[in-house]
């Protein structure tokens, strides 16, 4: 497994499902660093009004601000070879070794159970790559899909920072969720 491959199984050819088939819930997940060639796909993700990757207001961001949200740690997440989201892992600081914050956002075209699957695959891959004792995610209170997916993936709510984001004319907060493992070293 490479650092950008999120699955231990080999990639398989994707066959388009018939229009009447239910949406798949299991994908071959993969990720790689975002390059300039990916900017159109990334900008397309931000056209969704609820693509909350490092912002609470994706639809109001100009192109240059969206591209400024990407850094060397940002990865383009693909499902069966198609770009479906972004993620980035951030260390919580030198004083908290093995503690990380995960920024993850997927397209609304995927069902919530696929989002939970992506979380689980990311957690598995991250723990294979490095020791992780605490992994936190921050989800806006108004982001029902993000909250449901994080909870389905085993993240536990720790608390809410209230009233710091304005959404639909109301002050809203952010929910802090995490998973904790015993140290292995």
């Amino acid at each position: 497994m490479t650092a950008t491959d999120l699955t231990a199984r080999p990639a398989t050819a994707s066959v388009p499902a018939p229009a009447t088939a239910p949406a798949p819930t299991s994908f071959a997940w993969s990720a790689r660093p975002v390059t300039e060639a990916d900017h159109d796909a990334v900008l397309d993700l931000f056209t969704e009004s609820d693509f909350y990757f490092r912002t609470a207001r994706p639809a109001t961001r100009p192109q240059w601000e969206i591209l400024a949200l990407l850094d060397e740690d940002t990865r383009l997440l693909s499902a069966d070879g198609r770009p479906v989201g972004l993620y980035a892992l951030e260390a919580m600081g030198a004083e908290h070794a093995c503690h990380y914050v995960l920024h993850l956002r997927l397209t609304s075209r995927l069902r919530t159970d696929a989002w939970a699957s992506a979380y689980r695959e990311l957690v598995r891959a991250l723990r294979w790559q490095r020791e992780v004792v605490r992994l936190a995610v921050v989800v806006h209170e108004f982001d029902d899909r993000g909250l449901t997916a994080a909870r389905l993936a085993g993240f536990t709510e720790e608390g809410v920072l209230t009233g710091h984001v304005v959404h639909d004319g109301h002050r809203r907060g952010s929910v802090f969720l995490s998973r904790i493992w015993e140290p292995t070293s």
Side-chain angles (χ1 to χ4, degrees), residues 105-117:
R105 194 62 189 185
L106 299 174
T107 178
S108 61
R109 294 183 301 264
L110 294 177
R111 294 178 2 184
T112 305
D113 55 340
W115 284 43
S117 170

Side-chain angles (χ1 to χ4, degrees), residues 63-142:
Q63 179 176 331
W64 69 269
E65 278 188 16
I66 290 170
L67 296 177
L69 297 174
L70 311 177
D71 59 21
E72 65 276 354
D73 296 325
T74 305
R75 301 291 183 261
L76 181 65
L77 190 60
S78 295
D80 295 336
R82 291 183 317 249
V84 295
L86 297 170
Y87 84 90
L89 187 67
E90 190 178 306
M92 290 185 85
E95 68 278 4
H96 299 292
C98 306
H99 291 213
Y100 300 94
V101 175
L102 175 64
H103 303 275
L104 171 66
R105 194 62 189 185
L106 299 174
T107 178
S108 61
R109 294 183 301 264
L110 294 177
R111 294 178 2 184
T112 305
D113 55 340
W115 284 43
S117 170
Y119 266 115
R120 286 189 294 271
E121 281 294 302
L122 274 168
V123 166
R124 189 186 65 71
L126 293 171
R127 293 193 68 219
W128 182 82
Q129 294 170 355
R130 67 194 62 169
E131 183 171 15
V132 177
V133 172
R134 182 175 187 274
L135 185 62
V137 296
V138 181
V139 182
H140 302 296
E141 282 182 309
F142 50 83

Side-chain angles (χ1 to χ4, degrees), residues 32-45:
R32 59 180 174 74
V34 177
T35 66
E36 259 189 69
D38 300 317
H39 286 181
D40 285 343
V42 168
L43 293 170
D44 184 54
L45 292 169

